[in-house]
Amino acid sequence: MVDLRQVEKEFDTVSAALKRRGVEEGVLERIKTLFEEKKAVRARLEAAQAEQNAKSRLFGQYKREGKDVTQLQKEVAENKARIAALNEEVRVLEERLAELATTIPNIPDPDVPDGEDEEANVEIKRVLEPASFDFKPREHWELAERNGWIDFERGVKIAKSRFSALRYEGARLERALINYMLDFNRDRGFEEVYVPFMVNAESLFGTGQLPKFADDLFKIEGEELYMIPTAEVPVTNLFRDEILKKEELPQRLTAYTPCFRKEAGSAGRDTRGMIRQHQFDKVELVAITTPEESDRVFNEMVACASDLLTSLGLPHRHMLLCAGDMGFSAAKTVDLEVWLPGQGRYREISSISNTRDFQARRARIRYKEEKKNRLVHTLNGSSLAVGRTLIAIMENYQQADGSIVVPEILRPYL
RNA sequence: CGGGGGAUGGCUGAGUGGUCGAAAGCGGCGGUCUUGAAAACCGUUGAGGGUCACACCUCCCAGGGUUCGAAUCCCUGUCCCCCGGCCA
């Protein structure tokens, strides 16, 4: 959530920054007005409460002294009604404020480029040259069929469209990749954690998926639980409502989880193959840091994911996302796009974001600095989307006869 | 899923309807002593809002209710623990 006091005090700056993300101006105006109104009403409420407390104390004293309390009783009753009215007023204001404020995305960093969509993303650098093939490289679904690695039809049969099953070396390679990635991240100082694959609404609010993006989530019927759309949710929320010691920071964590997404609104996109599924594996990086350290840790995370791709021999490029293309909670995002020779283009395989204090404010994650509690910065990044890594390996390591050579570094994991 | 018991500050744990934001112990921090440390002793130590700073407001799981007044009484919910059932 954006800092309402910042909205109040630095209205023009915040408003300009959010406009870059496509937030309409009027919304921010209304937030500011509501916030100020709420403050004023609350001040009146508190004064009335102070009066009530004082009179109640006096009431007890009168009783003990055997004095007449009829007048006092009348005053107290009147004041009570006033308190109830003011309370209601505050409640309504807060509700309307929350309705608006919780749907405002994060303020983009100053170095985030302008732009509405992925067209305006800025390529920062390329790593590894795409190999040239002396035959026409095939797309992954064709390779999957030839090798029997991915069973699309049966995945659909047992679940529905956008589900698939892995078989033979495909299944084993998926698991090998997970293990390899976790080991790689651990060597880089990220502690491995294992977390629930379902979370409650409070957690989803904390990382920003709720209330705005409920339609993207699978909800468990009859339970207040949702399937996680990314490990970012359970892992970041490990620290929800906690005050960490400064020495405990930064927390650097890595976790493997499956991810579940409805992919609402992406009808017709990437329906072929395994690019966009309702369930996919991902190894995630999460960091909790002080504000001072978050840029440094962000760069470490980008490097970690990029080096992982390099170690697998997969050509890729770094993209700095423009303001309009970033996720709701992000202040800054770098995507890694892997080269898919079959498709002849780069496709997203990792996304690393610094949310600054946006999630920390929603999830109340703080740390103690010289007696004062300050909000932490939270960061998250994929390292990597496992299914897409599998695809990338298939397409980049394919042979003329349609077979696939497993990269050297993964063989010990098979 | 059935039966029983709980939920209080970083932890353990008292708590009478008013003087309780809350005893005590532990832990933390500061100090005395010491070359230094330990021990002992003294002091200090919850969070959020509000204020220039005070004042003041809110918070004893959550939400309702009773009352002039609720950590304390009543209802509902959530979570935890124990016993039994089922189960990887």
Side-chain angles (χ1 to χ4, degrees):
Chain A
M1 195 159 80
V2 293
D3 182 358
L4 292 174
R5 255 171 295 180
Q6 195 191 356
V7 172
E8 186 191 26
K9 294 200 172 89
E10 303 163 29
F11 184 78
D12 292 339
T13 322
V14 174
S15 169
L18 283 172
K19 202 173 172 187
R20 298 210 295 141
R21 299 205 51 161
V23 176
E24 338 158 26
E25 260 167 298
V27 179
L28 225 50
E29 282 286 1
R30 269 181 295 167
I31 287 178
K32 188 186 174 205
T33 312
L34 279 171
F35 183 64
E36 284 166 352
E37 226 178 303
K38 190 198 86 177
K39 255 173 84 166
V41 177
R42 161 155 281 160
R44 286 199 285 143
L45 170 65
E46 286 181 6
Q49 282 172 323
E51 190 185 327
Q52 192 77 348
N53 287 342
K55 287 195 168 147
S56 288
R57 239 169 288 143
L58 206 58
F59 191 99
Q61 192 187 322
Y62 277 22
K63 277 281 192 190
R64 256 173 280 128
E65 292 168 0
K67 286 191 191 164
D68 178 44
V69 293
T70 36
Q71 174 60 24
L72 195 55
Q73 195 152 18
K74 201 180 136 215
E75 284 172 30
V76 143
E78 279 166 17
N79 197 40
K80 196 179 177 180
R82 236 175 74 223
I83 288 174
L86 286 167
N87 239 325
E88 176 61 15
E89 217 175 312
V90 169
R91 195 192 59 78
V92 168
L93 286 169
E94 268 174 353
E95 205 174 88
R96 282 165 56 197
L97 192 57
E99 215 168 283
L100 288 177
T102 58
T103 56
I104 298 288
N106 202 356
I107 299 165
D109 278 5
D111 60 339
V112 168
D114 285 330
E116 281 183 19
D117 54 32
E118 59 185 26
E119 295 299 310
N121 294 343
V122 175
E123 183 175 314
I124 305 169
K125 68 167 171 179
R126 295 190 179 204
V127 182
L128 299 182
E129 272 295 303
S132 58
F133 291 81
D134 49 18
F135 57 93
K136 187 179 182 310
R138 300 178 168 93
E139 301 216 35
H140 76 273
W141 52 79
E142 200 182 332
L143 295 165
E145 207 156 308
R146 278 176 181 252
N147 293 279
W149 284 15
I150 308 175
D151 191 334
F152 296 108
E153 289 79 11
R154 291 196 178 96
V156 174
K157 177 176 72 178
I158 59 176
K160 65 181 243 176
S161 63
R162 290 196 193 279
F163 283 93
S164 56
L166 295 177
R167 304 199 65 184
Y168 309 107
E169 273 201 289
R172 294 172 59 217
L173 199 51
E174 178 88 1
R175 180 160 58 88
L177 279 167
I178 293 165
N179 287 334
Y180 171 64
M181 289 176 190
L182 286 170
D183 285 351
F184 186 95
N185 294 339
R186 209 182 47 160
D187 287 345
R188 295 290 183 107
F190 291 85
E191 177 203 341
E192 183 176 342
V193 288
Y194 179 86
V195 293
F197 298 163
M198 298 181 205
V199 293
N200 55 34
E202 182 75 11
S203 294
L204 287 157
F205 178 84
T207 33
Q209 285 76 16
L210 288 181
K212 206 173 178 182
F213 306 102
D215 290 347
D216 298 335
L217 301 166
F218 285 104
K219 186 168 190 294
I220 307 297
E221 193 177 334
E223 299 276 347
E224 279 308 308
L225 289 170
Y226 300 77
M227 304 301 291
I228 56 170
T230 158
E232 169 198 342
V233 179
V235 176
T236 307
N237 277 284
L238 286 173
F239 304 98
R240 174 154 53 79
D241 277 313
E242 294 198 14
I243 301 170
L244 301 162
K245 296 193 188 82
K246 195 180 180 185
E247 310 85 75
E248 294 175 313
L249 300 177
Q251 287 279 339
R252 289 132 60 88
L253 305 169
T254 185
Y256 153 73
T257 72
C259 304
F260 304 91
R261 298 183 185 177
K262 280 200 176 171
E263 294 297 342
S266 56
R269 290 180 66 189
D270 304 311
T271 46
R272 187 114 196 242
M274 214 177 55
I275 290 278
R276 196 175 298 275
Q277 299 269 288
H278 287 308
Q279 172 185 324
F280 62 94
D281 286 327
K282 186 152 62 72
V283 171
E284 185 80 357
L285 300 173
V286 167
I288 312 283
T289 78
T290 60
E292 290 73 23
E293 281 180 311
S294 76
D295 283 320
R296 182 176 61 76
V297 174
F298 178 76
N299 291 331
E300 281 174 22
M301 288 167 72
V302 173
C304 185
S306 178
D307 291 351
L308 183 53
L309 280 166
T310 306
S311 78
L312 290 166
L314 294 173
H316 59 282
R317 60 178 189 175
H318 294 215
M319 303 294 288
L320 178 60
L321 295 199
C322 72
D325 199 32
M326 287 196 299
F328 180 74
S329 296
K332 178 177 180 173
T333 297
V334 168
D335 272 8
L336 302 184
E337 296 182 346
V338 72
W339 175 251
L340 295 182
Q343 293 196 3
R345 55 182 285 212
Y346 285 94
R347 293 298 308 248
E348 178 187 345
I349 194 167
S350 171
S351 186
I352 300 108
S353 295
N354 190 346
T355 80
R356 307 271 171 208
D357 60 11
F358 186 85
Q359 292 179 328
R361 186 172 295 105
R362 293 170 82 100
R364 295 172 300 279
I365 307 172
R366 293 164 293 176
Y367 75 101
K368 219 172 244 309
E369 166 104 71
E370 316 257 338
K371 302 263 178 192
K372 289 291 280 184
N373 295 326
R374 296 176 70 196
L375 293 169
V376 298
H377 278 196
T378 64
L379 303 92
N380 65 82
S382 23
S383 134
L384 306 160
V386 182
R388 289 189 183 181
T389 308
L390 182 64
I391 289 169
I393 287 171
M394 290 167 77
E395 292 204 9
N396 280 277
Y397 284 88
Q398 61 179 296
Q399 308 299 304
D401 63 359
S403 65
I404 295 149
V405 176
V406 173
E408 192 78 48
I409 202 156
L410 287 174
R411 289 187 199 154
Y413 287 89
L414 279 172

